Amino acid sequence: LLVGVIIQKDLSFVDPQFALWLNARGIATHVVEQNNIQESSTNFLEKLNAELVLVFGFSWILPKQLLECVPFGFFNIHFSLLPAYKGPTPLFWQIKSVFARKIKL
């Protein structure tokens, strides 16, 4: 059951259709700044009584205290094999690696 969405302030553009979809279903949204991620996100998750968090496309490192604030923890969905292609833009590095092998750079 999805109860909330946290969005990075630097990525705070939200597709209007997605925002309408969230709002129509009563799904809370929260825009967070990097310098206040722990306190702000912890408070939001506690208000929602969140039990599990899925992280998808979040480019900031989450503080340990934040990771411990929900009973079943955080699961990171990442678009590559870790640790080979870590970071916020793994698709670029994967494509570059494949391209470099094909043309033998």
Side-chain angles (χ1 to χ4, degrees), residues 2-31:
L2 179 64
V3 296
V5 175
I6 297 176
I7 303 166
Q8 291 176 231
K9 183 170 176 93
D10 62 345
L11 299 176
S12 62
F13 66 90
V14 174
D15 181 294
Q17 293 298 324
F18 182 57
L20 288 171
W21 185 88
L22 292 170
N23 190 36
R25 286 154 181 80
I27 299 169
T29 58
H30 178 68
V31 177

Side-chain angles (χ1 to χ4, degrees), residues 56-58 76-82 85 87-92 94:
F56 184 83
F58 207 81
N76 184 27
I77 299 168
H78 195 69
F79 291 110
S80 70
L81 295 174
L82 291 171
Y85 297 105
T89 56
L91 291 176
F92 168 80
Q94 290 175 80

Side-chain angles (χ1 to χ4, degrees), residues 59-74:
S59 62
W60 301 335
I61 295 174
L62 301 175
K64 182 180 179 189
Q65 296 87 344
L66 176 59
L67 297 174
E68 296 171 344
C69 80
V70 294
F72 295 105
F74 283 61

Side-chain angles (χ1 to χ4, degrees), residues 39-56:
E39 181 180 350
S40 177
S41 297
T42 299
N43 290 339
F44 179 70
L45 294 170
E46 286 175 352
K47 285 180 188 174
L48 296 175
N49 292 320
E51 295 179 348
L52 171 73
V53 176
L54 297 177
V55 180
F56 184 83

